[in-house]
Amino acid sequence: MTKVVLSMALAVFTLLPANAQIVKNDLLKGYKEGDVLEKTVYNDKRAPINVDTWCGGFTSKPVEGSVSPTIGKALTYEGYSEAGPSITLGFPQGVKGSRVSVYSLVESGKVYSKGTYYITCLVNFSKVGTNLADFLAASASYVGGGNRGQVYVRREGNDKIKFAVGLLKERAEAPMAYDCNKTHLLVLKVDYTKNEVSLFVDPELGQSEPKADIVVTGEEGALKAGLKSVALRNRNGFKGSIGNFRFAKDWAGAIGK
């Protein structure tokens, strides 16, 4: 009996390193359809952190009439195992501007400031504007702001969308256009060693990391600050859903392998 228990313990131990590269997942745990996303709002940029919690990001000029996003139906993508509900995108009729919601990870940027990090999510847009607009970012502040990798979207024609990625002042658009009203898998990679960010759109879910659809290299020191939150920007002109987030340190963790 002792040998069996020991063997089981060793088997579990050998599995841990592979799983350890998934830093955070199930970011909407405990939410159900219709719930309000933000648990509170950061009304001061020095407010105490609410760790592993969705909060309204700090802004000195809140948009009048903007409210927290709510929880919608689940999104699914074949081969991607992260399950659960999504966040409904869009503003009430007549409200203009944008609102940032942040999932605060850590107070100190030293924790996530070396190596590579991946933020994976599913998105499904039914409506976006004609100009590139950011909607997802890796943030260097737990209250929002100081983004170190942003993902953008815009409309292409009547029924297509295009994605782009940016690092501070540098920004580039992926070459392909994608269908509206279809769920897409996005992976944002922040590489501190190379001082660059990359975007993968609907990548093959194999064990090896494929070539990114677009890569942006920052100016010297662009990635000096460490990551402290995952930031979501909701805005007027958007209709759609986003969810099934993962925050990981390697490709296998990012796609759930």
Side-chain angles (χ1 to χ4, degrees), residues 25-37 39 52 54 71 83-85 103:
N25 71 321
D26 205 4
L27 270 58
L28 294 175
K29 183 178 182 179
Y31 285 94
K32 63 182 183 301
E33 189 173 347
D35 285 349
V36 173
L37 174 67
K39 299 298 186 182
D52 299 338
W54 284 101
I71 304 303
Y103 186 86

Side-chain angles (χ1 to χ4, degrees), residues 1-12:
M1 181 65 178
T2 302
K3 290 183 178 180
V4 173
V5 172
L6 180 59
S7 297
M8 290 176 64
L10 288 173
V12 172

Side-chain angles (χ1 to χ4, degrees), residues 100-112:
V100 173
S101 303
V102 292
Y103 186 86
S104 304
L105 298 167
V106 289
E107 185 172 10
S108 170
K110 294 180 180 180
V111 178
Y112 305 122

